[in-house]
Amino acid sequence: MMFKRNILLVTGALLALSACDSGKGVSAKNESVESVQNKVADAVASGEFMKPGQWAGTVKITDMTMPGMEKLPPQMQEQMKARLAQGHSFENCLTPEDARDPKARMAENSGGKCTYDHFEMAHGVIDAKMSCSSEAGPRTMTMKGTYSGDSYQMEMASTGQGEGPAGMSMKMQMSAKRTGACKAGDV
């Protein structure tokens, strides 16, 4: 599904960018995902991209709408919203090799159908907007937040046009921090 793939694209970029050295920024306007990936890789070529180790975080969907959702019974709508608001925890090990290769951590380009309208990452702040096209309809995604070598906090939004899932819009918050060395067996 194009929607899920695009969210993974933004999330993959977020994870890859979350702990970039703030000494060299990245700025792009109306550029392909691949071009931005290359700029990010160039910005961190002199050292590790993210600090290796165990990372833990949460993703919380703060708002979601979809065409036809208003036709669901109010009780079902509230149950869906309550379940989404609970959030989801994640944890993963970032090896030293992964930390040195940001392009490998960024998601694939979705067949060249996405372009960054703007992408600014410097001095611990990230602000990006991406537009994607697909047979199901256009989608716009934004990402704003802060990052350091050990943590990040982001707010993301995705808005689609079309019927059913293609017309889904959502807002989410994501935060993560490095918790220490990787767990035995994860490396």
Side-chain angles (χ1 to χ4, degrees):
M1 176 190 295
M2 185 68 167
F3 167 74
K4 192 171 191 177
R5 194 170 183 188
N6 288 336
I7 287 297
L8 291 175
L9 178 64
V10 170
T11 305
L14 169 64
L15 290 172
L17 298 171
S18 62
C20 176
D21 173 49
S22 60
K24 185 174 181 182
V26 176
S27 181
K29 290 196 184 298
N30 299 318
E31 293 191 34
S32 70
V33 173
E34 182 179 7
S35 175
V36 172
Q37 286 175 333
N38 289 333
K39 286 183 176 191
V40 170
D42 290 345
V44 297
S46 61
E48 290 179 343
F49 192 61
M50 295 176 72
K51 289 187 179 178
Q54 196 73 22
W55 283 73
T58 59
V59 176
K60 181 178 176 182
I61 297 175
T62 59
D63 189 33
M64 185 179 86
T65 60
M66 184 170 40
M69 192 170 169
E70 71 281 355
K71 294 178 184 174
L72 295 173
Q75 183 180 3
M76 187 178 282
Q77 290 181 42
E78 290 304 315
Q79 286 175 345
M80 287 175 60
K81 288 180 181 181
R83 186 165 183 193
L84 292 172
Q86 291 175 354
H88 170 75
S89 297
F90 63 90
E91 192 169 338
N92 68 319
C93 170
L94 180 67
T95 68
E97 295 78 22
D98 290 337
R100 285 188 296 270
D101 190 1
K103 280 183 74 172
R105 305 253 330 137
M106 292 179 83
E108 64 186 43
N109 185 352
S110 294
K113 296 182 181 177
C114 295
T115 301
Y116 279 104
D117 299 9
H118 73 267
F119 184 98
E120 302 292 330
M121 180 186 78
H123 309 293
V125 177
I126 185 167
D127 181 3
K129 180 181 178 185
M130 178 188 291
S131 297
C132 299
S133 62
S134 74
E135 293 177 16
R139 177 158 296 284
T140 302
M141 289 161 281
T142 60
M143 175 173 42
K144 293 182 181 200
T146 59
Y147 62 89
S148 72
D150 294 306
S151 66
Y152 63 82
Q153 298 79 39
M154 301 288 160
E155 290 189 11
M156 295 175 284
S158 176
T159 304
Q161 297 175 10
E163 296 298 317
M168 181 184 292
S169 294
M170 72 167 51
K171 294 179 181 177
M172 59 187 196
Q173 298 172 335
M174 178 184 256
S175 63
K177 65 180 180 176
R178 185 180 180 279
T179 59
C182 290
K183 295 178 180 177
D186 281 354
V187 180

